[in-house]
């Protein structure tokens, strides 16, 4: 606020004659407070004026908080799949299963087919077992396949020559029709030799198993081949719960070779206890009273501190032993658990 006296004094100081006081009018001027202007946000000096600590607190941390949930969300999609013990499959649409329970599978599920007579069922299984060489040699009759002499001995042992011929023709005629309807196999006959050919997209677990058993050794097997062999063996013995005069000796020899190979794999994977447990379970499928498999499982469970599973395994084995031999299993759990691995 300027007064008349203030104006008069100012004029005198500057060497001017002031007018009469009555002629001076004073006014009050209200002006806004003048402050230094702030730089515009687009000014390049803004970031340079921010301290490193402030930069970290106000810019970096919020960005991290936004990125962390995004990272965890995306990481779920790239998570490494866990290893699972999936059953061995051929990758084919159709499969004939001879290991364990005899069945026809479509996309790994049992397929219902028209029923077979008892005799034709045996004839089909005989053909499947003895057609391995035919299949392995590229569908040629050069290998060891079924012939008329074998049919006479195994299927019609008491039939005369003419009776055998008539029965064979009738049986194969019916079986040929069944095979055509099933879509799995095709009957082949040439100069008194018979075989069945697997159609396209059809596999047989027994054939794949024989390749690994007869054309590989435990040492030459790759990791994947060993896993496939163990998984196939874990299905069970050849044509489980089926008994024929011709089948029992075939199955016995096959069983001995399989158990021997599984025990060789036990030694090969001596440091892999989980795989050893799986191998022991596969051995029990072929011989549920195998002492080597029992001892190995007991020692593994003892080392892992799983005493409950150790006792359970021993009790189960002892029960199976008593059911078969009608006497108690004499080897104690204490003795078995003290054996060297």
């Amino acid at each position: 606020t300027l007064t008349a006296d203030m104006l008069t004094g100012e004029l005198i100081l500057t060497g001017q004659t002031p007018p009469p006081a009555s002629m001076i009018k004073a006014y009050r001027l209200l002006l806004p407070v003048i402050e230094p202007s702030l730089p515009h946000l687009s000014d390049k000096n803004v970031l340079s004026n921010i301290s490193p600590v402030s930069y970290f607190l106000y810019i970096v941390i919020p960005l991290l908080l936004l990125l962390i949930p995004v990272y965890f969300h995306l990481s779920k999609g790239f998570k490494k799949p866990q290893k699972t013990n999936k059953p061995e499959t051929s990758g084919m649409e159709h499969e004939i299963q001879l290991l364990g329970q005899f069945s026809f599978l479509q996309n790994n599920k049992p397929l219902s087919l028209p029923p077979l007579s008892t005799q034709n069922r045996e004839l089909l299984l005989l053909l499947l077992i003895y057609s391995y060489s035919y299949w392995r040699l590229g569908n040629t009759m050069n290998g060891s396949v079924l012939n008329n002499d074998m049919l006479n001995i195994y299927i019609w042992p008491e039939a005369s020559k003419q009776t055998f011929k008539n029965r064979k023709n009738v049986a194969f005629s019916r079986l040929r029709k069944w095979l055509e309807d099933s879509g799995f196999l095709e009957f082949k006959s040439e100069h008194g030799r018979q075989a069945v050919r697997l159609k396209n997209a059809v596999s047989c677990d027994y054939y794949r198993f024989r390749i690994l058993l007869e054309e590989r050794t435990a040492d030459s097997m790759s990791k994947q081949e060993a896993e496939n062999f163990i998984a196939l063996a874990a299905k069970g013995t050849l044509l489980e719960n089926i008994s024929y005069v011709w089948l029992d000796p075939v199955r016995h020899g096959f069983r001995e070779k399989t158990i021997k190979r599984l025990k060789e794999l036990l030694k090969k994977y001596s440091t892999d206890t989980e795989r050893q447990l799986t191998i022991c379970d596969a051995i029990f499928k072929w011989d549920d009273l195998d002492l080597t498999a029992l001892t190995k499982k007991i020692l593994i469970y003892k080392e892992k501190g799983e005493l409950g599973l150790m006792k359970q395994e021993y009790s189960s084995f002892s029960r199976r032993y008593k059911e078969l031999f009608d006497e108690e299993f004499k080897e104690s759990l204490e003795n078995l658990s003290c054996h060297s691995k």
Side-chain angles (χ1 to χ4, degrees):
T1 300
L2 299 177
T3 62
D5 293 338
M6 292 172 62
L7 290 173
T8 300
E10 183 67 23
L11 291 173
I12 293 171
L13 290 173
T14 58
Q16 300 181 46
T17 303
S22 60
M23 296 180 64
I24 299 175
K25 293 183 179 180
Y27 297 90
R28 176 176 293 181
L29 301 176
L30 299 177
L31 300 175
V33 178
I34 300 176
E35 297 180 357
S37 60
L38 294 174
H40 195 270
L41 291 177
S42 61
D43 195 319
K44 296 180 180 180
N45 294 325
V46 172
L47 294 178
S48 62
N49 291 331
I50 301 176
S51 68
V53 176
S54 299
Y55 182 85
F56 183 80
L57 292 176
Y58 294 107
I59 297 178
V60 177
I61 289 182
L63 285 175
L64 289 175
L65 293 176
L66 288 173
L67 290 175
I68 288 174
V70 174
Y71 168 78
F72 281 107
H73 176 73
L74 293 177
S75 64
K76 293 180 180 179
F78 299 99
K79 188 176 181 180
K80 185 178 180 181
Q82 295 181 350
K83 184 178 178 181
T84 57
N85 295 324
K86 294 182 179 180
E88 193 275 346
T89 60
S90 64
M92 298 281 194
E93 182 180 357
H94 299 91
E95 166 135 323
I96 301 171
Q97 183 171 291
L98 300 183
L99 298 176
Q101 298 294 325
F102 171 53
S103 61
F104 290 86
L105 305 178
Q106 182 173 9
N107 297 323
N108 296 322
K109 295 181 180 179
L111 188 64
S112 178
L113 293 175
L116 274 170
S117 67
T118 302
Q119 188 177 83
N120 276 359
R121 185 171 184 260
E122 181 179 0
L123 193 57
L124 172 61
L125 293 175
L126 186 62
L127 280 165
L128 282 168
I129 295 297
Y130 281 94
S131 291
Y132 170 76
S133 297
Y134 174 82
W135 171 80
R136 192 65 182 130
L137 295 175
N139 298 328
T140 64
M141 292 289 190
N142 297 329
S144 176
V145 296
L146 192 64
N147 57 50
N148 286 340
D149 291 337
M150 297 167 68
L151 284 170
N152 197 354
I153 294 171
Y154 294 148
I155 307 298
W156 298 285
E158 298 178 358
S160 64
K161 187 175 181 180
Q162 186 60 42
T163 302
F164 165 76
K165 183 178 179 180
N166 293 337
R167 290 178 178 177
K168 185 194 76 170
N169 290 339
V170 171
F172 278 136
S173 176
R174 292 174 178 172
L175 183 59
R176 188 191 302 268
K177 177 65 170 60
W178 187 91
L179 292 174
E180 291 175 357
D181 294 340
S182 73
F184 277 73
L185 299 160
E186 183 180 355
F187 179 74
K188 296 289 183 179
S189 181
E190 182 180 311
H191 305 300
R193 300 160 70 103
Q194 297 82 23
V196 285
R197 184 182 71 84
L198 301 181
K199 290 190 174 182
N200 293 335
V202 177
S203 68
C204 179
D205 59 355
Y206 168 69
Y207 293 177
R208 301 197 310 279
F209 191 66
R210 277 193 64 172
I211 289 177
L212 295 172
L213 183 62
E214 298 173 359
E215 300 181 22
R216 305 285 191 278
T217 64
D219 291 334
S220 67
M221 277 185 179
S222 66
K223 183 178 179 180
Q224 186 60 56
E225 287 176 333
E227 288 180 355
N228 289 342
F229 182 85
I230 296 167
L232 285 166
K235 287 184 174 184
T237 188
L238 179 63
L239 295 174
E240 197 171 83
N241 300 325
I242 295 177
S243 180
Y244 297 122
V245 173
W246 59 268
L247 176 60
D248 292 340
V250 173
R251 181 163 48 204
H252 177 75
F254 198 62
R255 169 179 168 272
E256 295 299 315
K257 292 178 181 178
T258 300
I259 294 175
K260 181 181 178 182
R261 175 60 53 80
L262 289 170
K263 289 182 179 180
E264 290 170 349
L265 290 174
L266 269 179
K267 295 179 180 179
K268 181 176 180 178
Y269 296 104
S270 59
T271 59
D272 189 342
T273 56
E274 292 302 321
R275 192 185 300 272
Q276 284 193 322
L277 289 173
T278 302
I279 294 172
C280 289
D281 289 336
I283 292 175
F284 279 143
K285 288 285 186 177
W286 295 76
D287 181 3
D288 59 356
L289 292 178
D290 188 272
L291 191 58
T292 299
L294 172 66
T295 304
K296 179 64 66 175
K297 293 192 75 173
I298 286 176
L299 292 174
I300 291 174
Y301 286 142
K302 180 183 178 181
E303 183 179 329
K304 296 173 69 175
E306 298 176 347
L307 302 184
L309 290 176
M310 181 181 73
K311 293 178 181 178
Q312 181 179 336
E313 193 68 43
Y314 177 81
S315 298
S316 178
F317 185 94
S318 300
R319 185 170 57 255
R320 296 195 301 268
Y321 186 92
K322 186 174 182 179
E323 289 174 356
L324 182 63
F325 296 108
D326 195 26
E327 64 180 26
E328 299 293 335
F329 180 54
K330 295 180 174 60
E331 193 77 30
S332 68
L333 176 59
E334 290 72 17
N335 289 339
L336 291 174
S337 63
C338 292
H339 287 185
S340 173
K341 289 187 68 176

